[in-house]
Amino acid sequence: MKTCLVTGGAGFIGSHLCDKLVDEGFRVVCVDNLITGSEQNIAHLKGKEAFLFVKSDVTDQETYEKLLTERYDFIFHLASPASPNATSPLSYLAHPLETLLANSVGTKHLLDLTKKKGARFLFASTSEVYGDPLEHPQKETYWGNVNPNGLRSCYDEGKRFGEALTMVYVRTHAIDARIVRIFNTYGPRMADDGRVVVDFVLKGLKGESFTIYGDGTQTRSFCYVSDLVDGIYKAMLSEKTKGEVFNLGNPQEYSVNELADAVAAALKIEKKIEKSPLPADDPSRRQPDISKAEKILNWRPSVALDEGLQKMIRYFKEHPPITA
Ligand code: NAD
Ligand code: UDP
């Protein structure tokens, strides 16, 4: 049985990835310090023989040494806070140093582990490496337009450093590694961390107003989590992916105003809106060009926004959201 290490495996995307890997017949070691994730997300996996949870911080030397005792075939590094919302204690703005370290020191530990174990590695990067993009849609070849020391830089520059480090290990240590740049992803098990889809869904369920930052004309492209996890899986397991970077996201682009309409329609409610100022460095447009992933990974998302929202709403009607 092949073994996968998933860091950040008790988080939103990581827990769905653990599910997929266990379903595909892998043994999964999930490492998470629960800074933004929750054991609730993996409670259903805990009794399984093929699943092991290790509560640990990937930036600690002790964690590295503890992980050295296992054998791994595939290492997925997802551990990092991911929400930019300043109002949430679960955001990377609430944990800026931890975010930088998870993507720098943490990435180095995991690359060293990859080398020692002769494993394959995948780094979970982000569309934020494109910053407020001047090229649209964004291709992997675009270098981005990032504020190197603004509020979001702990995340953006942390991920850019993690990408650079990954490529150094590919070039100088012959490591079999790839990078995926994840665009806005949504679905069940998102924490109540202020990211726009979960925020609108939870407020809508409570009959509260949606808060629109700025004039709501800024755009994002929303990918349902099962599609994203399929893309991550293919990026790790497909041949000819060593040293490659892939955009993973749904290319269907919506303004925040259009998203508010879609969530209200999915909930069958009248939309109520409050306005709030646009946060600093909030990207004005974001849409992935996924032609590379389509060609090399034979991957394309299949869940439309209205269908994904329905699944997410059904989930949150039954499961209270995780708050800090
Ligand atoms: P999440 O906050 O739900 O999951 C991140 C997990 O990492 C959490 O369980 C957290 O406790 C854990 N973690 C953080 N620092 C850690 C550390 N030092 N040691 C061990 N565990 C640690 O967020 P998510 O949305 O599931 O994001 C997962 C990954 O995908 C992140 O790397 C994020 O940057 C990336 N990503 C997500 C999106 C998205 O839209 N969800 C977009 C772009 C990139
Ligand atoms: N946003 C909003 N209301 C909210 C949360 C977010 O208008 O309650 C906006 C935010 O300003 C951004 C977009 O929605 O333009 C997406 O924000 P999110 O926090 O989901 O992630 P981002 O794509 O900025 O990393």
Side-chain angles (χ1 to χ4, degrees):
M1 197 182 224
K2 302 249 183 200
T3 301
C4 300
L5 174 63
V6 179
T7 76
F12 158 51
I13 296 174
S15 64
H16 287 279
L17 178 62
C18 289
D19 284 348
K20 162 102 180 159
L21 294 169
V22 168
D23 285 351
E24 296 284 343
F26 291 95
R27 178 167 175 269
V28 175
V29 178
C30 159
V31 182
D32 201 299
N33 66 353
L34 306 178
I35 189 172
T36 58
S38 165
E39 283 186 87
Q40 230 171 285
N41 289 334
I42 47 166
H44 59 290
L45 289 171
K46 277 205 176 151
K48 300 202 179 201
E49 215 177 303
F51 183 79
L52 176 70
F53 174 57
V54 180
K55 183 174 180 294
S56 252
D57 186 327
V58 295
T59 67
D60 288 346
Q61 183 65 23
E62 283 164 27
T63 305
Y64 173 67
E65 279 156 21
K66 188 161 50 178
L67 293 177
L68 271 178
T69 58
E70 288 267 354
R71 181 182 62 81
Y72 306 105
D73 301 285
F74 302 99
I75 298 181
F76 298 84
H77 181 30
L78 277 73
S80 168
S83 164
N85 198 302
T87 65
S88 170
L90 294 175
S91 73
Y92 58 70
L93 298 177
H95 303 287
L97 188 56
E98 291 86 345
T99 302
L100 270 173
L101 294 178
N103 289 293
S104 53
V105 176
T107 304
K108 180 163 187 309
H109 283 159
L110 291 151
L111 284 163
D112 286 336
L113 200 60
T114 301
K115 190 177 169 192
K116 283 228 153 66
K117 301 290 167 185
R120 279 192 186 191
F121 180 80
L122 178 142
F123 179 60
S125 185
T126 169
S127 53
E128 280 283 318
V129 299
Y130 301 122
D132 190 3
L134 304 176
E135 190 179 296
H136 196 80
Q138 294 81 52
K139 283 197 173 74
E140 290 87 349
T141 46
Y142 179 49
W143 291 355
N145 176 39
V146 178
N147 179 343
N149 51 29
L151 280 178
R152 293 172 88 114
S153 66
C154 59
Y155 186 67
D156 302 8
E157 296 296 350
K159 291 292 185 186
R160 287 169 73 100
F161 181 89
E163 288 202 11
L165 195 63
T166 301
M167 292 311 294
V168 165
Y169 273 68
V170 169
R171 293 190 191 106
T172 64
H173 297 281
I175 292 288
D176 186 345
R178 69 278 299 123
I179 294 164
V180 294
R181 293 186 181 145
I182 302 170
F183 284 64
N184 297 62
T185 299
Y186 69 99
R189 300 190 198 144
M190 286 189 90
D192 185 7
D193 62 11
R195 284 186 272 183
V196 69
V197 182
V198 74
D199 207 71
F200 286 1
V201 165
L202 295 179
K203 285 194 169 136
L205 283 170
K206 286 187 279 186
E208 295 174 5
S209 306
F210 302 150
T211 309
I212 301 229
Y213 297 153
D215 63 8
T217 57
Q218 69 272 30
T219 68
R220 295 295 185 270
S221 305
F222 301 103
C223 187
Y224 189 69
V225 65
S226 58
D227 281 335
L228 193 267
V229 163
D230 276 354
I232 292 178
Y233 183 82
K234 286 187 164 170
M236 179 64 108
L237 283 124
S238 304
E239 294 312 312
K240 300 202 179 113
T241 56
K242 178 178 169 182
E244 296 294 340
V245 180
F246 296 99
N247 283 340
L248 294 180
N250 191 318
Q252 191 71 47
E253 184 184 9
Y254 294 86
S255 68
V256 168
N257 289 325
E258 288 168 333
L259 175 72
D261 289 338
V263 173
L267 285 165
K268 300 189 179 61
I269 56 169
E270 281 295 315
K271 181 180 70 168
K272 290 185 282 176
I273 293 294
E274 279 170 16
K275 295 274 185 178
S276 195
L278 194 66
D281 300 331
D282 195 294
S284 51
R285 293 188 78 182
R286 187 184 283 160
Q287 181 191 31
D289 180 319
I290 59 162
S291 44
K292 184 172 173 184
E294 284 182 302
K295 190 164 161 226
I296 298 180
L297 307 179
N298 191 24
W299 173 83
R300 191 182 172 79
S302 63
V303 181
L305 183 64
D306 53 349
E307 187 189 344
L309 287 174
Q310 290 296 352
K311 288 174 192 257
M312 188 168 169
I313 288 163
R314 270 200 300 280
Y315 173 85
F316 279 115
K317 279 184 175 167
E318 286 166 22
H319 302 83
I322 294 155
T323 44

